[in-house]
Amino acid sequence: PSYEKMEGIVAGTPSLAQFDVDLDAGAAAADDPEGAVSFDLTLPDGRVLDRGYVLPVSDLSPPVARTARFSLNPGESFTFDDAPFAGVVAGTGTATLSVGALARLDAPGLLLALDAVPWGCTEQVASQTLPLLYLAEVARALSLRGSADLDRRIGDAVATLLANQDASGGFGLWGPGSGDLWLDAYVTDVLSRARATGRAVPEPAFRAALDNLRNAVAYYPDFEGGGEDLAYALLVLAREGQALVGDLRYFADQKAGDFGSPLAVAQLGAALALTGDQPRADRLFAQAEARLDAAPPEPLASVWRDDYGTRRRDEAAVLALAVESGSQAVDRARLAASLAAQADVPASTQEAAWTLLAAAALAGDLRAEGVTVDGAAPAGPVVERRDEGEPAVTVANGGGAPVD
């Protein structure tokens, strides 16, 4: 406003007086703070009091995110220009384009959301790190924090995780600790995958983490309903060649129905696939998908869970592990479509990390699908980020099937 009614005690008057003050948002006097509003008050005796006040002004409009999903039919193209910025205040928006499985599962949006998680407990750091191992090019295209040197960022994350490892090899959420075998397996899984992708992980700490899992498996009690942490520990040990094949087959043949979640059954299947037992692996993946279909709706499916899980997380993880294991026993298209239908719902760190792992596993060579970007075949995943006014990008489908 340019005018306000104000009250105050005026010098020389015995009572509260009313006076008018003009607010001038123009240039402030030289001795006023930057951005100040200058107030001049003339008293009855002719004296003038002047003072500058800084009145912060900020836009209270919340950030707005809009998502548009569509398919390019054979022969069609799409020009990524300034159209997404319609209705957005100039200079405040950024638009992102992705193609294929990354687009179907909204990989850019999930990566950005994970990157913004502020607290930094062990589970969150592990969840932020896991997809970066496989989606480095996407992270760089999005200019994520530390993406200019992802090896350093991942190395810092590994150091943060190991700072929460205790002498037994287990991990605590906010400091060195133990007692949460599922968390131990999850962090060790991330460390194992980091090593497999060429990242440095200190050998003594990694061996201690594996020893912790191996000891927990050796002394795990019998169960009927549960065992989620056991299944995960077996998968990590199998990846490192330290699981006993006889144990895996026993659990597959005698205890598969006793595991408490679809993900646990799929993890046991993935462990068997790593040992070369694909028939048993496929049978377990099929059971895991059937368990997903039989799960109660949220939030009932997640009320009493202690494995950081939800139905959506399990759905993403079953899909990711099945694809990584080369199993065709699950309906990949159906699981991917179900995850895509939930893309606009805010995801937990677990849901985001495993959905991104599924997207990375499903992301094929777009050159084989006939996709071109500005007339050239892409060398890797297609993720374009642009600000208003930057050069447009044209994506075309020269293949024989629709592309998301």
Side-chain angles (χ1 to χ4, degrees):
S2 61
Y3 175 81
E4 289 284 344
K5 176 75 72 175
M6 304 185 70
E7 294 182 338
I9 299 295
V10 179
T13 64
S15 61
L16 186 68
Q18 290 189 345
F19 53 90
D20 297 335
V21 177
D22 289 326
L23 298 182
D24 181 7
D31 57 348
D32 288 337
E34 182 180 356
V37 175
S38 180
F39 288 82
D40 294 336
L41 179 62
T42 301
L43 302 180
D45 61 5
R47 289 179 298 158
V48 177
L49 305 179
D50 63 87
R51 186 169 182 178
Y53 290 90
V54 176
L55 303 179
V57 178
S58 59
D59 187 354
L60 299 181
S61 302
V64 176
R66 298 188 299 228
T67 303
R69 297 182 183 86
F70 54 91
S71 296
L72 283 181
N73 292 318
E76 292 183 342
S77 64
F78 172 75
T79 300
F80 185 37
D81 52 20
D82 285 345
F85 298 102
V88 177
V89 177
T92 65
T94 298
T96 303
L97 169 74
S98 55
V99 180
L102 300 182
R104 191 176 311 117
L105 300 182
D106 191 23
L110 290 173
L111 268 178
L112 289 168
L114 265 182
D115 196 54
V117 173
W119 299 289
C121 76
T122 299
E123 185 278 328
Q124 291 160 349
V125 173
S127 295
Q128 289 174 322
T129 306
L130 180 58
L132 295 181
L133 300 174
Y134 304 99
L135 296 172
E137 294 180 50
V138 180
R140 294 188 186 97
L142 296 174
S143 300
L144 291 189
R145 172 174 48 91
S147 60
D149 189 351
L150 273 181
D151 286 341
R152 179 175 180 179
R153 176 174 173 178
I154 292 171
D156 290 344
V158 168
T160 299
L161 293 173
L162 294 181
N164 291 341
Q165 185 180 37
D166 73 356
S168 71
F171 296 87
L173 268 179
W174 296 101
S178 59
D180 187 344
L181 180 56
W182 200 95
L183 180 66
D184 293 348
Y186 185 49
V187 177
T188 310
D189 187 14
V190 173
L191 297 177
S192 173
R193 290 171 179 269
R195 283 164 52 96
T197 55
R199 272 72 181 200
V201 177
E203 186 71 19
F206 185 63
R207 290 300 160 198
L210 290 176
D211 289 344
N212 173 61
L213 297 185
R214 191 165 51 249
N215 291 334
V217 168
Y219 291 98
Y220 203 91
D222 194 19
F223 62 94
E224 293 181 4
E228 294 91 343
D229 48 3
L230 171 64
Y232 205 167
L234 288 169
L235 169 57
V236 178
L237 290 172
R239 181 178 294 114
E240 294 298 324
Q242 298 190 25
L244 297 177
V245 176
D247 287 351
L248 297 177
R249 291 177 176 174
Y250 165 75
F251 286 119
D253 295 342
Q254 304 298 325
K255 301 290 288 182
D258 291 332
F259 283 97
S261 72
L263 173 57
V265 178
Q267 286 171 326
L268 184 58
L272 283 160
L274 288 168
T275 68
D277 193 343
Q278 196 65 43
R280 277 188 174 89
D282 288 342
R283 174 164 56 83
L284 289 171
F285 279 118
Q287 290 181 25
E289 185 174 22
R291 293 276 293 273
L292 283 172
D293 294 337
E298 297 290 5
L300 295 178
S302 307
V303 170
W304 300 112
R305 297 187 65 166
D306 58 2
D307 64 347
Y308 307 84
T310 61
R311 187 186 187 283
R312 179 180 177 184
R313 191 283 303 272
D314 284 4
E315 199 169 45
V318 168
L319 176 59
L321 292 174
V323 176
E324 288 182 345
S325 301
S327 176
Q328 299 291 334
V330 303
D331 189 337
R332 298 183 182 187
R334 185 173 74 94
L335 291 176
S338 177
L339 291 171
Q342 303 171 72
D344 291 332
V345 180
S348 71
T349 50
Q350 281 286 306
E351 292 167 345
W354 285 98
T355 301
L356 286 165
L357 209 59
L362 288 169
D365 188 349
L366 291 175
R367 291 173 296 183
E369 299 183 28
V371 172
T372 60
V373 179
D374 287 338
V382 176
V383 177
E384 300 285 344
R385 194 179 192 188
R386 65 184 297 275
D387 296 327
E388 190 172 8
E390 291 184 345
V393 176
T394 299
V395 176
N397 179 10
V403 174
D404 293 333

